[in-house]
Amino acid sequence: MTHSSPIQLFPLLRIAVCLILGIVLGDLLFHGASSSVQQWSMGLFVGLVVVTAVLRKHPLLQSALILAATCCLGVLLVQRAKTEVELQLPEDEVVYKAVVTSEPVERGKVVRCNLLITTGEFEGKQVQAAILRDTVDCLYKRLHVGDGILASSVFEHPHDFGASHFRYSTYLESHGIVATTFIFWSDWRKAIVDMSHLSRLSRIRIRAMKLRQNLLQRYQEWGLGGEQLAVVAAMTLGDKSLLNQSTREAYSVSGASHVLALSGLHLGIIYMLFLFLTMGRRRQLLGEACIVMAIWAYVVMVGMPSSVVRAALMITIYSVVGLIQRDRMSLNTLSLTAIIMLLARPLSVFDLGFQMSFLSVLFIIMLYRPIYYLISPRFLFAHRFLGRLWSMVSVSVAAQTGVAPLVAYYFGRFSCCFLLTNFVVIPVATLTLYMAALLFLLSCWPAVQHALVVAMSWLVGLQNIALEKISSIPGASIEDIDVNVWQVLVLYVMIFMLSLLVVHSSSSGFRNRGV
């Protein structure tokens, strides 16, 4: 079977793009609680679906109408999502019961955490709380994820701060947080909270976050501490609350921030670990099902960040497609993953983690082979070790090409040492995740556990020192980059055009060389 155009190989890509365009358009058209845009988009969507069903004998027109309907669906979804998070908040104090859904973190004179309201008109809504620390009884130290509280405070709409392009209010909205609140130290106390009215997913996530905190405490009991504990907690459990500012800066300047944020790299390593534990039986239904369920359990435990959900969905789709012996086209898989995530949470498109995760994978899919085959395949096959190193370079360059404009826009920075950094952090991340798994599996052998803790602490400490050295190299990063959203879009258009040219040239080269 032949196709008249390469893009016809990826029908889900067009649908995903139109869905994203619809969501962005719906966000621009949103005006508070007004329902007119929702009614118009619903009417257009239904009308386009009906007309599409009628025009079966006109495939081109039918395809155009499907894409238009998808765009209308995006408008409708984001309008409804924003109506749920942009609520009319009362001006007076609200008395409420809530459950703590993130481990409280000390920030100056307050502790910050997320609360899930369980009573009143805001039941089922999340707010971000800043609780003033009491310096006498220190009750805040006894507050942990999963605890219930009774409090009274004023709810406020999230607001942005600083001169950065990063919009904190949009970040909170994309994570389902409807308000922020400041709670005076005397205006709260721990209480028994009935969580039976919450959704099953909310209850499961709270239990999973409690499990994560218990695992973090196990690290401390085994002897991990300081910045080694902070980095291990971020790399294995997705908890970055223990990281100090100097470590964050060193990782950012050196281009290693991605190793602290759980992503496809981490989930890929964990997938290989589960595959090893199931004796490599990935083609068997039971083994594959166990791996997928274990991965999703891990995703829930680490808080379901967009990058990890994306990776888990792609692994799940790959597993299903592989079991039914169908061709697993990466771009279609990535597009289907985006469609599923946006249908479930349309505001995810404004989440930085979602944007960087999908763009990095998209450019890896597009550019990995052209970059990898810049060196002769015969040479790479004959020198396996060099081939693996070059493969790491190819992935790093492709991914960095995809996220560099975003990083420059949001953080005003471009790391020039990301290749050198990846030679350090990728092996260390792999070994750290494997050793962390062994720590929990070998709980009955304290001597072995102690040896693993010492090795892990030394390895992560060595990584921290290496990244500090790299970040101190003159010209390690380009700072204070100031680009606006239109310049970023132009950059991406140019990058896409150059990428397509490279892919086309490489494809011709592959055919000529028989690759």
Side-chain angles (χ1 to χ4, degrees):
M1 181 177 179
T2 59
H3 299 269
S4 59
S5 171
I7 199 171
Q8 293 180 9
L9 293 170
F10 313 112
L12 294 179
L13 176 61
R14 290 173 285 174
I15 293 176
V17 170
C18 286
L19 185 61
I20 292 171
L21 290 176
I23 290 172
V24 173
L25 179 61
D27 177 68
L28 294 174
L29 295 175
F30 183 76
H31 298 289
S34 174
S35 61
S36 59
V37 176
Q38 293 186 43
Q39 293 171 352
W40 274 102
S41 56
M42 172 62 82
L44 278 173
F45 174 71
V46 173
L48 288 169
V49 169
V50 171
V51 175
T52 300
V54 172
L55 296 176
R56 295 180 179 178
K57 295 182 179 180
H58 301 81
L60 290 179
L61 182 58
Q62 190 180 48
S63 297
L65 291 174
I66 289 174
L67 298 180
T70 303
C71 191
C72 289
L73 178 61
V75 173
L76 179 62
L77 288 173
V78 77
Q79 291 276 319
R80 289 185 172 181
K82 288 186 73 69
T83 300
E84 291 180 2
V85 296
E86 295 194 5
L87 305 176
Q88 188 70 32
L89 300 178
E91 296 181 0
D92 300 327
E93 282 193 351
V94 179
V95 179
Y96 55 91
K97 283 187 174 182
V99 61
V100 180
T101 57
S102 66
E103 188 65 18
V105 179
E106 294 185 25
R107 290 287 185 267
K109 296 182 179 180
V110 300
V111 290
R112 296 188 180 276
C113 61
N114 294 337
L115 303 176
L116 183 62
I117 309 299
T118 60
T119 58
E121 63 176 309
F122 296 101
E123 180 179 331
K125 305 296 184 182
Q126 276 201 102
V127 300
Q128 186 179 80
I131 304 174
L132 186 65
R133 293 163 51 190
D134 58 300
T135 56
V136 179
D137 296 325
C138 296
L139 296 177
Y140 67 91
K141 292 186 177 181
R142 305 174 200 171
L143 191 63
H144 300 286
V145 63
D147 289 343
I149 68 168
L150 173 64
S152 62
S153 60
V154 176
F155 291 164
E156 298 179 342
H157 289 292
H159 59 274
D160 299 317
F161 53 89
S164 169
H165 290 294
F166 179 77
R167 294 178 59 192
Y168 191 63
S169 59
T170 302
Y171 168 82
L172 293 181
E173 285 182 0
S174 67
H175 288 77
I177 295 174
V178 302
T180 59
T181 188
F182 175 82
I183 306 175
F184 195 67
W185 66 268
S186 60
D187 290 341
W188 74 274
R189 62 179 174 84
K190 294 182 71 171
I192 298 175
V193 173
D194 180 15
M195 293 191 289
S196 61
H197 299 295
L198 300 179
S199 67
R200 178 171 296 181
L201 179 59
S202 296
R203 296 197 299 270
I204 291 174
R205 291 184 67 174
I206 291 170
R207 293 193 188 99
M209 296 302 287
K210 291 176 69 174
L211 173 61
R212 182 174 80 164
Q213 191 60 27
N214 290 335
L215 295 179
L216 181 59
Q217 291 176 356
R218 296 283 293 277
Y219 279 147
Q220 294 171 321
E221 293 169 3
W222 291 332
L224 275 175
E227 282 308 290
Q228 285 90 334
L229 171 63
V231 172
V232 170
M235 291 172 62
T236 62
L237 300 176
D239 186 346
K240 295 191 285 186
S241 61
L242 300 177
L243 292 166
N244 62 36
Q245 187 57 39
S246 63
T247 301
R248 290 175 184 267
E249 185 69 9
Y251 275 71
S252 176
V253 172
S254 61
S257 294
H258 63 281
V259 82
L260 296 177
L262 292 178
S263 62
L265 168 66
H266 303 76
L267 220 58
I269 296 170
I270 293 169
Y271 178 76
M272 295 304 297
L273 176 62
F274 286 144
L275 187 61
F276 172 77
L277 294 175
T278 56
M279 307 302 291
R281 298 174 181 175
R282 66 182 306 278
R283 290 292 182 185
Q284 295 187 8
L285 179 60
L286 181 59
E288 198 73 22
C290 289
I291 291 175
V292 170
M293 286 190 294
I295 282 176
W296 278 105
Y298 177 78
V299 170
V300 174
M301 184 186 70
V302 299
M304 300 182 70
S306 296
S307 56
V308 181
V309 172
R310 188 272 309 158
L313 271 174
M314 289 192 72
I315 289 174
T316 304
I317 296 168
Y318 264 76
S319 299
V320 173
V321 173
L323 286 171
I324 60 178
Q325 304 294 317
R326 298 294 297 274
D327 184 27
R328 297 172 296 173
M329 303 186 74
S330 298
L331 201 52
N332 274 334
T333 302
L334 182 67
S335 302
L336 179 58
T337 301
I339 291 168
I340 293 172
M341 289 183 66
L342 293 176
L343 289 177
R345 285 178 53 189
L347 291 177
S348 293
V349 78
F350 304 109
D351 179 17
L352 177 59
F354 179 94
Q355 296 169 10
M356 295 187 68
S357 177
F358 275 91
L359 282 171
S360 62
V361 176
L362 174 62
F363 276 84
I364 289 172
I365 293 171
M366 291 176 59
L367 297 180
Y368 170 74
R369 277 177 59 86
I371 296 173
Y372 183 75
Y373 285 114
L374 287 174
I375 297 178
S376 168
R378 185 175 301 174
F379 176 84
L380 294 174
F381 182 79
H383 303 81
R384 297 293 180 88
F385 179 72
L386 292 177
R388 290 180 180 177
L389 290 180
W390 182 243
S391 176
M392 186 188 302
V393 170
S394 303
V395 170
S396 299
V397 171
Q400 190 72 13
T401 301
V403 302
L406 272 185
V407 174
Y409 175 71
Y410 284 114
F411 305 112
R413 168 177 289 164
F414 175 78
S415 175
C416 303
C417 299
F418 67 92
L419 278 178
L420 176 60
T421 296
N422 281 339
F423 281 114
V424 176
V425 298
I426 292 178
V428 172
T430 303
L431 291 173
T432 300
L433 285 168
Y434 285 163
M435 286 192 287
L438 287 173
L439 274 175
F440 296 106
L441 290 174
L442 302 177
S443 57
C444 55
W445 288 310
V448 178
Q449 276 189 322
H450 177 71
L452 283 171
V453 168
V454 172
M456 182 187 292
S457 182
W458 176 82
L459 189 64
V460 173
L462 192 63
Q463 174 181 268
N464 291 345
I465 293 172
L467 295 182
E468 286 177 4
K469 296 291 185 183
I470 293 173
S471 65
S472 63
I473 296 174
S477 66
I478 301 173
E479 302 290 337
D480 301 323
I481 301 173
D482 186 15
V483 292
N484 58 42
V485 65
W486 296 109
Q487 291 171 325
V488 170
L489 289 175
V490 170
L491 277 173
Y492 272 115
V493 170
M494 294 172 61
I495 291 172
F496 268 110
M497 292 175 66
L498 289 173
S499 300
L500 291 174
L501 179 62
V502 170
V503 170
H504 177 73
S505 301
S506 301
S507 298
S508 301
F510 295 155
R511 287 194 296 268
N512 294 334
R513 289 184 292 176
V515 177

